[in-house]
Amino acid sequence: MPERPTSEIIVHDQSRKVPQPRGKDQKIDRELQAELRIAQALAAGADGTLDNISQDRFEPEFKAMALNSKIAAAADLDCYVDWCLAESRAAFPADPVTLVRYIEAKVKAKAKPATIVRRISSIAKAHHMLGLAPEGPRDRMVRQTLVAIGKKKKQRQAAAIRVGESRTGTSSPITLEALLQCCDSTLPGLRGAALLSVGYYGGLRVSELTAAEVEHLAVDTDGSGTLTVPFSKTDQEGEGAEVWMPADTVRRVRAWLEAAEIEEGVMFRRIHVTRKKAKDSVAPQEWESIPGHTRHYQERLKGQAATPAITVYTVGPNPLTTQGVNAIYKRLVERAWLDGLIEVGKDSIDKTLKAISSHSLRVGLTHDLIALGADGVAITNAMRWTSPGTILRYGKKLRAKSSATARFLGGETE
């Protein structure tokens, strides 16, 4: 590994000066706020003939939901109830015609199909909390309307970041190998390399990646390791799971942790960067040549030695956010493109960058497992899905390239 430039300074900030919106206390506050918003939406949208909302009914629903799911449900129900009040319609119980009109209104407002489907799901959950059968959300007319909008506008999947042609034999515009070449020996570079490696080989969701802690990584005698994922979107009971980490990934993680002086707690943290420009030397001046109104005349008399440019990296105690992970991936993709490491046309790079997200590594790993011939059960277990049906959505285009026709006739020429 190249030596770090002498102009680089690393500070391990114990005073929490690095701005960070997410911490343990903030998480509890956000959770309580989400639950309160949901309760208020239920109360505002419930028909006057309904009985009072029972805490015994909605508490089990709350406990079964992850924090992000609660926040999403709160936003969904706020939107739906506000629309119903503005349209003078009863929100609960939801009439199928009301839901169809609501869907049409959201389509007109250019909401994404996945967002609309999620909102109908949240409305169904709200019925359970109120002790009502979700007949409206399950009505055939509502389901057919959702199918129709899905056909009109396909949801865009995150662009895949695949491991690379040397490993899978399948070329891909954006590869993990290319992005790792763009990770230098600076502190952000070391973090980027570790973040990419753990995210890809663990097939981690961004919530799992940002929650990873030093104590979760166990290193084996051969240099490889296992990372414990104590809680996830599909593991609300907190049973935990373990994912394998190759030796190269463990080395990258250790290099980052040692450089950032992180010995415990959150693994991937924010870095505050301060850059000071280089200053040229200033020759001493004679007393007679210094203007009389000069305040710092003594400095003029002594002169000033040249100072190099200095970069100060301050590592805070709190984890990266989802937006931070997205930004890191996009910066690395753009750098790889500028360095000619990925083959994306000049007219397509902006579109490519928009398609990169914190989900890109997970999509890429799924594509690579399919290309390598892993069966559905193995992929489902590796990605920690509850159903193998998700593979069909992830690997639609890849299955065409892996078909019998492509394999056996793809090399023929006329």
Side-chain angles (χ1 to χ4, degrees):
M1 185 179 296
E3 292 185 3
R4 183 172 289 106
T6 56
S7 59
E8 177 180 314
I9 298 175
I10 298 173
V11 179
H12 188 65
D13 183 12
Q14 299 293 341
S15 60
R16 298 179 181 264
K17 293 179 181 178
V18 175
Q20 172 55 256
R22 190 177 291 180
K24 187 174 181 181
D25 294 338
Q26 289 90 340
K27 179 180 178 181
I28 294 173
D29 290 343
R30 294 170 73 210
E31 195 161 16
L32 292 175
Q33 289 172 6
E35 292 180 3
L36 178 61
R37 286 173 61 192
I38 292 173
Q40 289 174 337
L42 294 176
D47 189 290
T49 61
L50 294 177
D51 295 331
N52 292 331
I53 302 172
S54 171
Q55 187 173 356
D56 293 335
R57 289 190 182 278
F58 64 76
E59 270 196 352
E61 291 284 344
F62 283 156
K63 290 179 180 178
M65 297 166 66
L67 171 60
N68 287 340
S69 298
K70 291 179 183 179
I71 294 172
D76 294 340
L77 294 179
D78 279 344
C79 176
Y80 171 64
V81 171
D82 287 347
W83 181 84
C84 286
L85 293 175
E87 295 290 320
S88 300
R89 294 175 179 268
F92 307 111
D95 180 76
V97 175
T98 294
L99 291 177
V100 170
R101 296 290 176 265
Y102 173 69
I103 293 170
E104 291 172 347
K106 295 299 102 183
V107 170
K108 190 175 181 180
K110 298 183 179 180
K112 295 180 180 179
T115 301
I116 297 174
V117 170
R118 191 194 70 204
R119 286 186 174 166
I120 298 300
S121 176
S122 296
I123 294 168
K125 288 180 182 178
H127 280 69
H128 288 299
M129 293 179 189
L130 292 167
L132 301 170
E135 295 177 358
R138 292 176 180 171
D139 190 87
R140 180 176 175 79
M141 179 168 59
V142 175
R143 288 189 285 110
Q144 292 296 93
T145 304
L146 292 175
V147 170
I149 65 170
K151 288 181 178 179
K152 279 186 178 180
K153 185 178 180 180
K154 295 293 183 183
Q155 186 75 9
R156 184 180 64 186
Q157 187 182 76
I161 298 177
R162 301 183 62 180
V163 68
E165 189 172 1
S166 65
R167 297 293 297 276
T168 63
T170 305
S171 61
S172 178
I174 308 169
T175 65
L176 181 65
E177 293 174 350
L179 300 188
L180 287 174
Q181 289 185 53
C182 297
C183 297
D184 54 26
S185 60
T186 63
L187 203 61
L190 294 174
R191 182 188 62 181
L195 193 71
L196 287 169
S197 298
V198 173
Y200 175 83
Y201 286 104
L204 300 182
R205 299 176 178 87
V206 67
S207 58
E208 299 164 354
L209 188 59
T210 56
E213 297 185 0
V214 176
E215 295 81 1
H216 296 163
L217 180 64
V219 182
D220 298 328
T221 55
D222 63 354
S224 65
T226 54
L227 182 72
T228 300
V229 183
F231 190 85
S232 69
K233 177 182 177 181
T234 54
D235 179 23
Q236 294 300 306
E237 299 299 324
E239 295 181 0
E242 290 188 346
V243 294
W244 174 76
M245 295 285 137
D248 284 348
T249 296
V250 173
R251 283 196 292 270
R252 292 186 184 109
V253 171
R254 282 180 159 175
W256 150 246
L257 295 177
E258 289 174 7
E261 299 180 9
I262 299 173
E263 298 179 353
E264 61 181 7
V266 179
M267 188 178 290
F268 297 111
R269 309 184 183 191
R270 291 188 68 183
I271 302 171
H272 183 70
V273 183
T274 303
R275 292 185 173 87
K276 298 180 180 180
K277 295 181 179 180
K279 293 183 179 180
D280 296 329
S281 61
V282 177
Q285 287 184 254
E286 297 292 336
W287 175 267
E288 293 79 7
S289 65
I290 300 176
H293 63 276
T294 301
R295 295 178 59 186
H296 305 289
Y297 67 91
Q298 291 181 343
E299 295 179 4
R300 295 283 189 95
L301 286 171
K302 296 178 181 179
Q304 183 177 333
T307 57
I310 298 176
T311 301
V312 180
Y313 297 111
T314 306
V315 182
N318 294 325
L320 282 168
T321 62
T322 298
Q323 293 79 8
V325 174
N326 282 335
I328 290 170
Y329 290 171
K330 289 177 186 290
R331 281 199 298 268
L332 289 172
V333 170
E334 186 173 22
R335 190 181 305 167
W337 177 75
L338 291 171
D339 291 346
L341 298 174
I342 59 175
E343 295 181 4
V344 176
K346 186 176 181 181
D347 298 334
S348 304
I349 185 61
D350 289 340
K351 184 178 179 181
T352 300
L353 289 172
K354 287 181 181 179
I356 293 295
S357 77
S358 58
H359 209 57
S360 292
L361 289 173
R362 191 168 163 84
V363 175
L365 177 60
T366 305
H367 284 190
D368 286 335
L369 291 175
I370 294 173
L372 291 169
D375 61 54
V377 175
I379 296 175
T380 300
N381 290 336
M383 307 308 293
R384 301 180 306 288
W385 287 321
T386 55
S387 168
T390 312
I391 301 173
L392 301 177
R393 178 166 55 86
Y394 274 67
K396 185 177 180 181
K397 291 183 179 179
L398 199 62
R399 286 197 309 278
K401 295 179 181 179
S402 303
S403 66
T405 304
R407 290 199 308 271
F408 294 106
L409 302 180
E412 292 186 2
T413 56
E414 297 182 0

